[in-house]
Amino acid sequence: MGGHPQAATPNLDRLAESGVLFTNAHCPAPACNPSRTAIMTGVSPYISGLYDNGQKMRTLLPDAELLPKYFSRHGYWSAGSGKLLHYFIDQQSWDQYYPPKETEDPFPRTLYPEKRPVSLPVGGPWQYRETDWGPLDVTDQEFGGDYLVSQWIGEQLGKQHDKPFFLACGIYRPHEPWFVPKKYFDQFPLDDIQLPPGYREDDLDDLPPAGKRRGPNRYFEHILNHGQWKQAVQGYLASIAFADAMVGRVIDALERGPNRDNTIVVLWSDHGWHLGEKQHWQKYTAWRVCTRVPLMIRVPQGTPGLTGGTDANTICDAPVNLLSLYPTLAELAGLPPKESNDGPSLVPLLENAAAEWPHVSITCLNRPGNYGLSERRWRLVQYDNGDHELYDTQNDRYEWDNLATEPEHAARIARMRASAPTKFAAYVPPSDAALPKLRWHAATESDAPPSQPDGNRFDVVFTNRRDQPVKLFWMDRRGTPKSFGTLESGWRKPLQTRPGAVWLITDKNDTPLGYFVVGDRPAHAVIDKP
C-alpha cells in the first residue's frame, strides 16, 4: 500500500494477493473505540454519537446487535479472541471467547518488562504511559499475547465444525507499547531505519487554525528531544513484523485445516497512525495517514452472496469504509440485510473492482461536525468551526499541499460537502461510572504536593460519598490551596482541570482528608466514606 518502505509484511502481502485489496479504505473514526464500535454494530459515529475512546458502547447503544450475535442468531457459531472491542468482550455477543468471555478481559497473559519506561522517559502527566518500546529476549510463545490469540484461533480453524462459524481474531500489535521478541527488532538495524517519507518540516504552514491545532503534539516533540525518533520507528516496524507473523500463523492454520475452501477471510485495522507526519504522533486526526487502513477480502467460490468468489490479485481504489463490513458479510453469507446498517455493501466491488461506486467514505473525528471525506482522488477535511482542507491525493499522496484556499476548487469543495452528513448526533459525555477512578491519597500518607499542571484542560468529576460535606481546594504551583467551594454529601461536581493538577479535600473545618493527582485524561474523583 506504499506506507513505510521498510515495513515487512509477507503474510499480509500473500493474503492481499489471494483476494481483493482495497487501497482507498478508511476507518469510521481515527480512534479505537468509535471505529470498532461502528464496525461491529454497523452504525456510524455520526448516528450513534459515539465519537471517542472515553465513551461506552453499551451506554450509547444498549440494544445494538453486534456482528457476531447477528451471525449467531442466524445459525452460526460465533467465537473470538483478543482485542476486538475497546478493552472489553461484550460477552452477550459471543458463543465462545478466549480468554473466557465472562472475564470481560480480552487479553491473554503477555510478558512486559518489569521496570518501565524502557526507552522513552515520561515527559509529564499528559503522557500516555504505554508510549514505550524495546526488544524482549524471549520466544514468541514466552511473550504470549497475540501468539496465544493466534494459537487459539488456529485451533478453531483446524476443527471440523457442526455449524458454520463466525470467527474473529484480534491481533493487538502494533498497538502501544511496542515490546515484542528481539528477533523482530533485529530485522530492522537502527542505523538503517528510514524516517517516515510523509514527513515534511513545514507541512503545517498552509493549514487553517483548526488544522494547526490538530497537528503538533508534545509526543513527537518529546521523542525528538530525547533523540528517539529512529528508535520509535524501529519499535513500530518490529511490532508490525510481529503482527504479520501472527497473521501468518492464522492463515497457515486455515490452509492446513478442513475449512480452507469455504471460509471468507477479511483483514482490517481500526485506524492509521502518525510517526511525525504533520508534526503529530499517535492518531486522532482526519488526515489520510490516520484514516486510511488495510482492508483485504477473500471470498471462496460457492459463497451464497458471491458464487464466483473473488479473483486473486485484485486491486480496488474505490473510497470504501470499514462501516461496510457488517452488511458485506451478511450479504456474502446469504443472510437478510440488517436495516440499522449505515454503510453500503462491498459485494458489487468484490464482484467487479471497477464497478460504479457512487459513495464517499466518511471518517468522523472526535466531535460532531469534524470529519474527513474521501473520494477516489480528492479528500476534504472539515472542522466544526468552518475551517477545512482539500487534498489531491492522486498527485499529493502525503497531503502536503492544502488546496482549499484556491478559488478554482470552491465548486469541488461545495460538491464534496454536499456528500457529507447534514446531521450529527450530539456528543454524550461518559457517565461517571465509565470514567477511570483517580487514586485517593489519604492525608496520613503525606501532605498534598503542589500542582504541576501540564497539558490541555478537561473535566474531572468529584463525587462526595461521605455523610458530611467536604471542601475542594486546588493546590497551586507553590503548594498554596485555592478554594473551589463545598461539595455537599451525595453531590457531584465536574471541574475543569489539567494533567498534573493536585486537588486537596478537607472536612468542613479545613482538616485535610486526602488528595487526588490528575492524570492524562478525564476521570472520576470519588471521596468515599472512611
Side-chain angles (χ1 to χ4, degrees):
M1 291 176 61
H4 195 285
Q6 293 175 294
T9 57
N11 294 296
L12 294 182
D13 294 348
R14 67 176 168 123
L15 179 59
E17 291 166 0
S18 70
V20 179
L21 171 64
F22 292 88
T23 57
N24 195 11
H26 298 264
C27 57
C32 169
N33 187 33
S35 182
R36 291 168 184 255
T37 295
I39 293 162
M40 298 298 273
T41 63
V43 180
S44 173
Y46 70 83
I47 299 293
S48 69
L50 200 156
Y51 292 101
D52 69 23
N53 281 350
Q55 298 167 291
K56 294 292 185 182
M57 183 188 80
R58 283 303 177 193
T59 301
L60 276 73
L61 295 163
D63 302 319
E65 185 176 47
L66 268 58
L67 190 52
K69 189 67 174 180
Y70 186 73
F71 271 81
S72 182
R73 185 162 62 83
H74 287 88
Y76 279 66
W77 175 70
S78 290
S81 180
K83 186 187 178 189
L84 295 164
L85 295 167
H86 189 52
Y87 297 108
F88 72 110
I89 292 172
D90 197 52
Q91 61 173 299
Q92 69 193 55
S93 295
W94 305 89
D95 296 315
Q96 191 173 350
Y97 212 90
Y98 172 76
K101 60 182 182 178
E102 293 76 16
T103 67
E104 285 295 346
D105 181 0
F107 298 102
R109 66 157 181 90
T110 307
L111 181 67
Y112 287 114
E114 290 185 9
K115 294 183 178 181
R116 295 170 57 190
V118 171
S119 299
L120 186 68
V122 176
W126 51 267
Q127 186 175 332
Y128 179 49
R129 301 304 173 96
E130 300 286 30
T131 305
D132 197 12
W133 51 83
L136 302 175
D137 193 14
V138 295
T139 65
D140 291 355
Q141 189 169 6
E142 290 169 336
F143 175 69
D146 292 331
Y147 178 88
L148 297 175
V149 169
S150 65
Q151 178 175 279
W152 191 86
I153 293 292
E155 290 170 355
Q156 313 317 310
L157 291 171
K159 298 176 182 176
Q160 187 72 55
H161 295 268
D162 296 332
K163 292 181 175 182
F165 59 81
F166 175 94
L167 189 62
C169 173
I171 303 297
Y172 193 50
R173 291 295 175 272
H175 194 289
E176 293 179 311
W178 297 331
F179 293 107
V180 293
K182 181 177 179 293
K183 66 181 180 181
Y184 298 101
F185 275 80
D186 291 343
Q187 294 182 40
F188 308 98
L190 190 59
D191 290 344
D192 298 336
I193 292 294
Q194 299 177 36
L195 296 177
Y199 173 78
R200 199 169 83 178
E201 190 173 356
D202 63 351
D203 199 7
L204 302 177
D205 290 357
D206 62 354
L207 299 187
K212 289 181 177 178
R213 287 193 296 270
R214 288 280 176 181
N217 68 359
R218 58 180 62 198
Y219 285 89
F220 186 50
E221 180 184 17
H222 184 53
I223 287 167
L224 291 181
N225 288 341
H226 286 272
Q228 290 286 305
W229 194 5
K230 279 195 171 186
Q231 289 86 342
V233 173
Q234 181 192 40
Y236 191 51
L237 292 172
S239 296
I240 291 172
F242 171 76
D244 181 83
M246 300 304 105
V247 170
R249 283 167 49 80
V250 173
I251 296 173
D252 290 344
L254 174 62
E255 298 296 334
R256 290 193 304 263
N259 306 291
R260 179 185 62 187
D261 297 326
N262 63 348
T263 299
I264 300 164
V265 181
V266 181
L267 185 139
W268 53 273
S269 175
D270 56 353
H271 53 73
W273 188 267
H274 287 256
L275 290 170
E277 299 92 344
K278 296 280 193 293
Q279 306 296 322
H280 192 83
W281 198 265
Q282 292 189 334
K283 44 196 174 183
Y284 310 122
T285 79
W287 292 304
R288 187 171 182 254
V289 68
C290 196
T291 70
R292 186 169 171 250
V293 292
L295 174 62
M296 50 195 78
I297 302 177
R298 185 176 78 192
V299 180
Q301 292 185 354
T303 298
L306 189 64
T307 55
T310 48
D311 294 329
N313 283 304
T314 299
I315 302 291
C316 180
D317 68 350
V320 302
N321 196 281
L322 299 180
L323 191 65
S324 289
L325 291 181
Y326 201 134
T328 300
L329 289 174
E331 182 176 353
L332 287 174
L335 305 185
K338 200 166 193 304
E339 292 183 0
S340 60
N341 285 172
D342 292 328
S345 169
L346 302 177
V347 170
L349 295 175
L350 294 174
E351 187 172 18
N352 175 12
E356 182 180 352
W357 187 252
H359 310 285
V360 298
S361 181
I362 300 292
T363 298
C364 297
L365 174 64
N366 187 246
R367 291 294 185 274
N370 296 294
Y371 60 85
L373 187 154
S374 301
E375 297 183 340
R376 285 185 188 266
R377 174 176 175 179
W378 297 92
R379 291 199 76 247
L380 174 70
V381 178
Q382 181 72 45
Y383 300 102
D384 58 5
N385 69 344
D387 287 352
H388 56 280
E389 303 162 26
L390 179 71
Y391 298 101
D392 175 2
T393 57
Q394 178 177 298
N395 297 306
D396 178 21
R397 63 174 303 165
Y398 300 120
E399 297 184 329
W400 283 339
D401 300 313
N402 175 23
L403 305 175
T405 58
E406 298 184 5
E408 61 264 35
H409 294 298
R412 175 172 287 109
I413 292 171
R415 174 183 58 76
M416 295 179 73
R417 280 180 176 157
S419 299
T422 55
K423 294 182 179 180
F424 289 81
Y427 175 80
V428 179
S431 65
D432 292 354
L435 292 168
K437 287 182 67 174
L438 285 182
R439 181 190 168 194
W440 170 253
H441 299 265
T444 54
E445 296 178 21
S446 63
D447 294 333
S451 290
Q452 296 179 346
D454 188 5
N456 295 325
R457 294 181 180 275
F458 48 72
D459 279 347
V460 166
V461 177
F462 292 84
T463 298
N464 180 15
R465 292 181 180 167
R466 298 196 171 212
D467 296 329
Q468 300 294 324
V470 298
K471 294 183 177 180
L472 305 179
F473 295 87
W474 174 69
M475 305 297 292
D476 69 14
R477 294 179 185 270
R478 296 181 178 181
T480 304
K482 306 291 184 181
S483 176
F484 273 74
T486 298
L487 191 63
E488 298 291 339
S489 175
W491 284 20
R492 66 182 291 279
K493 185 176 186 179
L495 289 172
Q496 282 264 302
T497 188
R498 297 170 65 192
V502 177
W503 290 86
L504 172 67
I505 312 298
T506 75
D507 65 15
K508 60 183 179 180
N509 299 316
D510 294 333
T511 302
L513 301 173
Y515 63 91
F516 298 99
V517 180
V518 177
D520 68 340
R521 63 196 65 197
H524 193 191
V526 179
I527 302 122
D528 277 319
K529 293 182 178 181

